């Protein structure tokens, strides 16, 4: 795709991962220094193994190869994976008008959550199209993993 002055591409400048808890200061150091089981649980949820088990629970549609190349997939500590575009085209004719998605898959305990924030393409890039939340018991995630190849949720 050719960039034009009228529709300049948007480039990701930075990304910040912010870990917060309520009533407990998150600590990276080992479980031996944790005072309680709850403290160890919080530490594991925030700083445990990198990446969601088996990748994204329900990979969202990211378009054809040219559009898909504009996404990054990062595995984060605390059993989390994030997918987001590092470059978005504002041209309304780009990628057949397909929009963009940012996805976070995180398993902070017995539940696994995935949230997809979808925006439109072209002039609708700054508006929210849908916000989708999937939640499943961690132990049941593989049994109920969607097999649709990355389709949008039914409305």
């Amino acid at each position: 795709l050719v960039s034009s002055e009228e529709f300049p591409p948007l480039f990701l400048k930075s990304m910040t991962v912010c870990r917060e808890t309520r009533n407990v200061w998150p600590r990276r150091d080992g479980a031996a220094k944790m005072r309680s089981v709850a403290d160890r649980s919080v530490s594991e949820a925030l700083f445990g193994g990198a990446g969601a088990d088996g990748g994204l629970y329900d990979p969202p549609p990211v378009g054809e190869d040219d559009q898909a190349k504009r996404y990054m997939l990062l595995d984060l500590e605390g059993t989390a994976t994030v997918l987001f575009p590092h470059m978005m085209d504002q041209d309304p004719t780009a990628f057949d008008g397909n929009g963009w998605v940012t996805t976070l898959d995180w398993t902070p305990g017995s539940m696994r959550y995935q949230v997809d924030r979808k925006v439109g393409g072209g002039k609708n890039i700054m508006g929210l199209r849908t916000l989708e939340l999937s939640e499943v018991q961690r132990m049941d995630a593989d049994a109920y993993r969607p097999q649709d190849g990355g389709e949008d949720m039914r409305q």
Side-chain angles (χ1 to χ4, degrees):
L1 294 173
V2 177
S3 172
S4 72
E5 291 296 317
E6 186 179 3
F7 305 111
L10 300 174
F11 293 93
L12 179 69
K13 184 176 178 181
S14 67
M15 178 191 157
T16 302
V17 176
C18 179
R19 294 178 169 95
E20 296 182 356
T21 64
R22 200 170 83 188
N23 300 326
V24 177
W25 188 258
R27 297 174 55 154
R28 178 180 279 275
D29 34 14
K33 296 182 180 183
M34 302 294 160
R35 288 188 227 150
S36 68
V37 172
D39 287 350
R40 284 192 292 278
S41 177
V42 167
S43 181
E44 178 64 27
L46 296 176
F47 304 110
D53 293 338
L56 292 174
Y57 175 70
D58 185 10
V62 293
E64 299 297 324
D65 288 345
D66 285 343
Q67 187 174 9
K69 290 177 190 174
R70 297 182 180 201
Y71 281 87
M72 294 182 74
L73 182 73
L74 297 177
D75 289 333
L76 306 173
E77 291 178 326
T79 61
T81 296
V82 64
L83 171 77
F84 55 90
H86 59 84
M87 178 181 155
M88 295 189 294
D89 201 313
Q90 299 183 84
D91 185 335
T93 63
F95 310 117
D96 297 324
N98 288 335
W100 302 90
V101 61
T102 300
T103 298
L104 172 66
D105 184 326
W106 185 37
T107 310
S110 64
M111 294 295 292
R112 182 170 183 167
Y113 302 97
Q114 180 174 315
V115 63
D116 299 330
R117 180 185 185 274
K118 297 181 179 181
V119 298
K123 67 181 181 180
N124 297 320
I125 204 166
M126 300 304 282
L128 180 64
R129 191 175 78 203
T130 63
L131 185 64
E132 302 171 3
L133 174 65
S134 301
E135 54 183 20
V136 64
Q137 293 283 334
R138 177 183 217 155
M139 301 303 288
D140 296 334
D142 286 335
Y144 294 106
R145 184 180 295 270
Q147 303 294 322
D148 60 16
E151 293 182 12
D152 287 323
M153 285 186 164
R154 292 184 298 271
Q155 301 297 316

